[in-house]
Amino acid sequence: MNKTQLQVEAIHNGTVIDHIPAGQGIRILQLFGLAENRERITVGLNLPSKALGAKDIIKVENVRLSPAQANQLALFAPDATVNLIEDFEVVEKLQLHLPEKIKGVFACPNGNCISRREPVSSQFRVRAVSGQVHFRCCYCEKSFHQDFMAV
Ligand SMILES: [Zn+2]
Protein backbone atom coordinates (compact mmCIF):
# COMPACT_ATOMS: atom_id res chain seq x y z
CA MET A 1 0.00 0.00 0.00
CA ASN A 2 1.49 3.37 -0.93
CA LYS A 3 1.36 6.62 1.01
CA THR A 4 -1.59 8.09 -0.88
CA GLN A 5 -3.78 5.09 -0.15
CA LEU A 6 -2.89 5.34 3.51
CA GLN A 7 -4.15 8.93 3.66
CA VAL A 8 -7.70 7.61 3.57
CA GLU A 9 -8.49 4.59 5.67
CA ALA A 10 -9.59 1.30 4.15
CA ILE A 11 -13.25 0.31 4.18
CA HIS A 12 -14.78 -3.04 4.98
CA ASN A 13 -17.67 -3.18 2.49
CA GLY A 14 -18.81 -0.50 0.07
CA THR A 15 -17.62 1.64 -2.81
CA VAL A 16 -14.41 3.57 -3.40
CA ILE A 17 -14.50 6.31 -6.03
CA ASP A 18 -10.95 7.36 -6.80
CA HIS A 19 -9.23 9.69 -9.28
CA ILE A 20 -11.94 12.33 -9.10
CA PRO A 21 -10.65 15.70 -10.38
CA ALA A 22 -10.02 17.94 -7.34
CA GLY A 23 -13.11 20.02 -6.62
CA GLN A 24 -15.64 17.53 -8.01
CA GLY A 25 -15.77 15.31 -4.91
CA ILE A 26 -18.30 17.45 -3.06
CA ARG A 27 -20.49 17.69 -6.16
CA ILE A 28 -20.48 13.94 -6.55
CA LEU A 29 -21.55 13.50 -2.92
CA GLN A 30 -24.49 15.81 -3.63
CA LEU A 31 -25.28 14.21 -6.99
CA PHE A 32 -25.82 10.78 -5.47
CA GLY A 33 -27.20 12.05 -2.17
CA LEU A 34 -24.42 10.09 -0.51
CA ALA A 35 -24.20 12.41 2.48
CA GLU A 36 -27.93 11.97 3.14
CA ASN A 37 -27.80 8.33 4.07
CA ARG A 38 -26.44 7.32 7.43
CA GLU A 39 -23.50 5.26 6.23
CA ARG A 40 -19.96 6.22 7.09
CA ILE A 41 -18.29 8.23 4.34
CA THR A 42 -14.62 9.09 4.14
CA VAL A 43 -13.76 11.91 1.78
CA GLY A 44 -10.26 12.98 0.82
CA LEU A 45 -9.97 16.31 -0.95
CA ASN A 46 -6.98 17.67 -2.86
CA LEU A 47 -4.86 14.58 -2.42
CA PRO A 48 -1.67 14.46 -4.47
CA SER A 49 -2.07 12.54 -7.74
CA LYS A 50 0.55 11.82 -10.37
CA ALA A 51 -2.02 11.75 -13.18
CA LEU A 52 -4.28 14.64 -12.12
CA GLY A 53 -2.02 16.85 -9.98
CA ALA A 54 -4.65 16.81 -7.25
CA LYS A 55 -7.59 14.50 -6.81
CA ASP A 56 -10.54 13.79 -4.58
CA ILE A 57 -11.48 10.35 -3.30
CA ILE A 58 -14.75 9.12 -1.77
CA LYS A 59 -15.22 5.95 0.26
CA VAL A 60 -18.75 4.96 1.22
CA GLU A 61 -19.47 2.08 3.57
CA ASN A 62 -22.27 -0.38 2.72
CA VAL A 63 -23.27 1.33 -0.54
CA ARG A 64 -22.71 -0.24 -3.96
CA LEU A 65 -22.72 2.21 -6.82
CA SER A 66 -24.87 0.83 -9.67
CA PRO A 67 -23.62 0.76 -13.28
CA ALA A 68 -26.20 3.48 -14.08
CA GLN A 69 -24.77 5.69 -11.32
CA ALA A 70 -21.27 5.00 -12.59
CA ASN A 71 -22.29 6.37 -15.98
CA GLN A 72 -23.76 9.47 -14.36
CA LEU A 73 -20.52 9.84 -12.45
CA ALA A 74 -18.67 9.87 -15.78
CA LEU A 75 -20.27 13.24 -16.55
CA PHE A 76 -18.29 14.80 -13.69
CA ALA A 77 -15.23 12.61 -13.43
CA PRO A 78 -14.69 10.72 -16.70
CA ASP A 79 -11.41 9.21 -15.53
CA ALA A 80 -12.59 8.19 -12.07
CA THR A 81 -12.21 4.61 -10.95
CA VAL A 82 -14.99 2.89 -9.05
CA ASN A 83 -14.10 -0.14 -6.96
CA LEU A 84 -16.65 -2.22 -5.11
CA ILE A 85 -15.22 -3.58 -1.88
CA GLU A 86 -16.16 -6.66 0.10
CA ASP A 87 -14.25 -7.66 3.18
CA PHE A 88 -11.46 -5.12 2.43
CA GLU A 89 -10.90 -6.63 -1.06
CA VAL A 90 -11.79 -5.15 -4.45
CA VAL A 91 -14.41 -7.52 -5.89
CA GLU A 92 -15.46 -5.49 -8.92
CA LYS A 93 -14.27 -2.46 -10.89
CA LEU A 94 -17.08 -0.54 -12.59
CA GLN A 95 -16.31 0.83 -16.04
CA LEU A 96 -17.42 4.40 -16.66
CA HIS A 97 -18.97 5.11 -20.03
CA LEU A 98 -19.40 8.72 -21.01
CA PRO A 99 -22.63 8.97 -23.03
CA GLU A 100 -22.40 10.71 -26.42
CA LYS A 101 -25.56 12.66 -25.74
CA ILE A 102 -27.62 13.47 -22.69
CA LYS A 103 -31.25 14.50 -22.86
CA GLY A 104 -33.39 16.25 -20.30
CA VAL A 105 -30.89 16.07 -17.41
CA PHE A 106 -29.77 19.70 -17.23
CA ALA A 107 -31.38 22.87 -18.55
CA CYS A 108 -29.19 24.80 -21.00
CA PRO A 109 -27.29 27.49 -19.03
CA ASN A 110 -27.81 29.92 -21.93
CA GLY A 111 -30.86 32.00 -20.92
CA ASN A 112 -31.55 32.88 -24.56
CA CYS A 113 -31.54 29.27 -25.71
CA ILE A 114 -34.72 28.17 -27.49
CA SER A 115 -34.78 24.97 -25.39
CA ARG A 116 -35.58 27.15 -22.37
CA ARG A 117 -38.71 28.65 -23.95
CA GLU A 118 -40.06 25.81 -26.06
CA PRO A 119 -41.51 22.62 -24.58
CA VAL A 120 -38.55 20.47 -25.63
CA SER A 121 -36.08 18.42 -23.62
CA SER A 122 -32.60 19.86 -23.33
CA GLN A 123 -30.04 17.93 -25.31
CA PHE A 124 -26.24 18.10 -25.19
CA ARG A 125 -23.41 16.40 -27.00
CA VAL A 126 -20.82 15.26 -24.47
CA ARG A 127 -17.06 15.31 -24.90
CA ALA A 128 -14.21 14.67 -22.47
CA VAL A 129 -11.12 16.84 -22.83
CA SER A 130 -8.19 15.93 -20.57
CA GLY A 131 -10.31 14.78 -17.68
CA GLN A 132 -12.87 17.59 -17.96
CA VAL A 133 -16.29 17.19 -19.53
CA HIS A 134 -17.68 19.66 -22.05
CA PHE A 135 -21.33 19.83 -23.11
CA ARG A 136 -22.49 21.36 -26.38
CA CYS A 137 -26.14 22.31 -26.56
CA CYS A 138 -27.87 20.78 -29.58
CA TYR A 139 -30.18 23.81 -29.86
CA CYS A 140 -27.98 26.90 -29.41
CA GLU A 141 -24.66 25.15 -30.21
CA LYS A 142 -22.96 26.79 -27.24
CA SER A 143 -20.41 24.76 -25.28
CA PHE A 144 -20.34 24.59 -21.50
CA HIS A 145 -17.90 23.23 -18.99
CA GLN A 146 -19.22 20.73 -16.44
CA ASP A 147 -19.16 23.38 -13.70
CA PHE A 148 -22.01 25.27 -15.39
CA MET A 149 -24.30 22.27 -15.11
CA ALA A 150 -26.41 22.46 -11.98
CA VAL A 151 -27.47 19.11 -10.63
ZN1 LIG B 1 -28.78 25.89 -25.50
Side-chain angles (χ1 to χ4, degrees):
M1 197 178 264
N2 66 32
K3 262 189 180 162
T4 307
Q5 284 170 306
L6 287 172
Q7 285 172 340
V8 182
E9 66 181 294
I11 62 171
H12 191 185
N13 289 297
T15 303
V16 175
I17 308 170
D18 199 355
H19 303 103
I20 301 166
Q24 297 296 327
I26 299 288
R27 272 183 91 112
I28 289 163
L29 282 177
Q30 290 169 338
L31 174 69
F32 296 123
L34 291 173
E36 286 153 30
N37 68 35
R38 302 180 67 87
E39 300 298 344
R40 190 165 70 154
I41 300 172
T42 314
V43 182
L45 301 178
N46 300 316
L47 302 180
S49 159
K50 278 208 182 85
L52 300 170
K55 67 171 185 179
D56 293 347
I57 183 169
I58 299 173
K59 300 189 177 198
V60 195
E61 291 272 2
N62 301 320
V63 171
R64 289 174 74 96
L65 220 61
S66 68
Q69 285 177 310
N71 290 344
Q72 250 188 310
L73 174 69
L75 295 174
F76 297 89
D79 298 324
T81 55
V82 179
N83 290 331
L84 302 181
I85 311 289
E86 280 174 21
D87 218 5
F88 297 106
E89 300 283 341
V90 176
V91 291
E92 196 181 342
K93 291 176 183 287
L94 295 184
Q95 298 298 317
L96 304 194
H97 300 286
L98 198 62
E100 276 177 34
K101 277 190 178 182
I102 50 167
K103 268 185 103 163
V105 180
F106 314 106
C108 180
N110 170 12
N112 294 321
C113 179
I114 190 157
S115 71
R116 304 263 299 239
R117 282 174 280 129
E118 301 291 329
V120 292
S121 296
S122 70
Q123 198 171 323
F124 298 91
R125 275 189 289 277
V126 181
R127 206 159 52 98
V129 183
S130 52
Q132 302 284 312
V133 182
H134 295 258
F135 301 87
R136 181 187 280 270
C137 177
C138 296
Y139 294 95
C140 67
E141 296 290 323
K142 285 195 190 314
S143 267
F144 303 95
H145 182 255
Q146 59 196 19
D147 289 349
F148 288 97
M149 300 293 169
V151 176

